Amino acid sequence: MLLTRFDYKYNFMGIRHIAMAFSVVLITVSIISFFVRGLAFGLDFTGGTLIEVGYKQPVQLEKIRTNLHNNGFADAVLQYFGTDRDVIIRLGQHEESKDNRLSTQILKILQTDGEALEMRRVEYVGPQVGNELIEKGVLAVIYTLIGILIYVALRFEYRLATGAIVALLHDPILIVGLFSLFQLEFDLTVLAAILAVIGYSINDTIVVYDRIRDNLIKMRKQSVIDVMNTSINQTLSRTVMTSTTTLLVVVVLFFVGGELIHGFALALIAGIVVGTYSSIYVASALALELGVSRENLMPVPKEGANIKTP
């Protein structure tokens, strides 16, 4: 493997204060944007109508989108469903959503193109269901964070655990801030991506922490900063390869996966980049600032181990 042949000696901890200040600025902007601009919730959370139609011949989504846009349905989200003859149309809340008037109106608009098609499915998601999904989604994130926090607190010394916990909060805050700042649609797929990013980020942090803990015990003549730099460099090839291969898959999903999972793919792309960054410059740097030392990680001598037997 090409990446594993190099002896990396980057001074990551040398610019930790700049990186931490950068993170503080990003978190501040994200929180302000969340409270000022809010989130552009998708149909999953706001409620709306899902319509599935089937065409006799392959059809272009852009043609359907333009037709709906010109007839007052600018919020319509379209996606192929299995083949390029089957199309899913997602619409926001409309006054006529609860009865068949909306689906009938959509069918008439689509038939003006002269295409032969049939209505296959109509589903309505009410505002109450949307509110319940928001509540359950938030609870899912909170339960995930609590579970991981308990695991990290039990596994690591409290200074390392604090760094991991802050990094764990850092990543989803920045993703939510990204979607709030640019008013990107926030739906259930984005929420699922945030949960995946939380797991990805903590996994990367634990790999770095394990190496730091082992090296602090083995490399007793080096300073803590040097040990941290050495540990991060030793795991760098693994981090780069894992992040790059994962990013390749997600980037392909973003460009060819369809409009419906753009938000999911974008959240994962941002999460992988931010998660890799935070495992080095948030988790490790914060543990260093909290004063983690070699003495904190040395194994406790067993009682009576120094008593010599006659």
Side-chain angles (χ1 to χ4, degrees):
M1 300 294 290
L2 181 62
L3 289 173
T4 58
R5 294 177 182 175
F6 297 101
D7 182 19
Y8 301 107
K9 293 182 180 178
Y10 297 116
N11 182 16
F12 290 102
M13 292 296 103
I15 59 170
R16 65 184 184 280
H17 292 126
I18 298 175
M20 292 175 73
F22 180 62
S23 289
V24 170
V25 171
L26 291 181
I27 289 175
T28 304
V29 171
S30 297
I31 293 175
I32 292 175
S33 177
F34 177 77
F35 284 106
V36 174
R37 296 170 63 87
L39 290 171
F41 287 114
L43 185 146
D44 297 330
F45 296 124
T46 61
T49 304
L50 182 147
I51 300 173
E52 179 186 347
V53 294
Y55 285 82
K56 299 296 183 184
Q57 301 294 330
V59 64
Q60 295 295 321
L61 291 182
E62 190 58 36
K63 182 180 178 182
I64 302 174
R65 186 179 293 111
T66 302
N67 193 5
L68 292 174
H69 185 275
N70 293 337
N71 286 278
F73 294 97
D75 61 339
V77 177
L78 281 69
Q79 181 197 19
Y80 287 126
F81 189 66
T83 70
D84 55 4
R85 293 192 296 271
D86 304 315
V87 179
I88 291 287
I89 303 169
R90 308 178 77 178
L91 301 167
Q93 284 290 340
H94 292 267
E95 293 183 359
E96 62 273 44
S97 294
K98 293 182 180 179
D99 50 37
N100 292 326
R101 284 187 296 163
L102 180 63
S103 57
T104 304
Q105 186 178 355
I106 293 296
L107 187 61
K108 288 180 179 178
I109 293 172
L110 299 181
Q111 286 173 336
T112 58
D113 287 334
E115 300 282 354
L117 73 156
E118 61 177 347
M119 185 77 66
R120 292 182 175 172
R121 179 168 49 126
V122 179
E123 294 180 2
Y124 171 71
V125 180
Q128 182 61 34
V129 176
N131 291 333
E132 289 179 6
L133 288 175
I134 292 177
E135 181 181 345
K136 290 180 179 178
V138 172
L139 287 176
V141 173
I142 292 175
Y143 292 154
T144 303
L145 289 173
I146 291 175
I148 293 178
L149 295 184
I150 293 173
Y151 168 75
V152 170
L154 293 175
R155 173 160 180 169
F156 294 104
E157 197 267 347
Y158 83 89
R159 296 172 182 83
L160 292 175
T162 303
I165 290 169
V166 173
L168 202 60
L169 298 174
H170 170 276
D171 301 345
I173 288 175
L174 292 193
I175 296 173
V176 171
L178 173 69
F179 277 76
S180 171
L181 191 62
F182 295 99
Q183 288 295 288
L184 303 172
E185 184 176 317
F186 192 96
D187 56 19
L188 277 178
T189 63
V190 177
L191 184 63
I194 289 178
L195 292 174
V197 166
I198 290 174
Y200 181 90
S201 176
I202 193 63
N203 178 62
D204 211 29
T205 300
I206 287 174
V207 169
V208 174
Y209 271 9
D210 277 341
R211 187 59 60 92
I212 290 175
R213 185 170 56 183
D214 292 343
N215 285 341
L216 277 173
I217 297 173
K218 294 177 183 176
M219 304 164 67
R220 303 190 179 189
K221 294 183 179 179
Q222 294 190 22
S223 66
V224 175
I225 293 180
D226 290 338
V227 170
M228 283 198 167
N229 276 326
T230 301
S231 303
I232 295 171
N233 279 294
Q234 287 175 349
T235 58
L236 188 61
S237 60
R238 175 261 175 206
T239 301
V240 171
M241 285 188 289
T242 303
S243 301
T244 303
T245 51
T246 310
L247 268 178
L248 283 175
V249 175
V250 180
V251 168
V252 171
L253 272 180
F254 179 80
F255 285 107
V256 302
E259 184 180 355
L260 202 62
I261 60 171
H262 269 180
F264 174 78
L266 179 62
L268 281 181
I269 291 172
I272 291 169
V273 174
V274 171
T276 304
Y277 161 84
S278 69
S279 65
I280 297 174
Y281 283 115
V282 177
S284 303
L286 187 59
L288 183 62
E289 294 300 317
L290 290 175
V292 67
S293 65
R294 184 173 291 103
E295 290 72 21
N296 301 139
L297 304 175
M298 291 297 289
V300 178
K302 294 182 180 178
E303 188 176 352
N306 295 328
I307 299 176
K308 295 181 179 178
T309 56

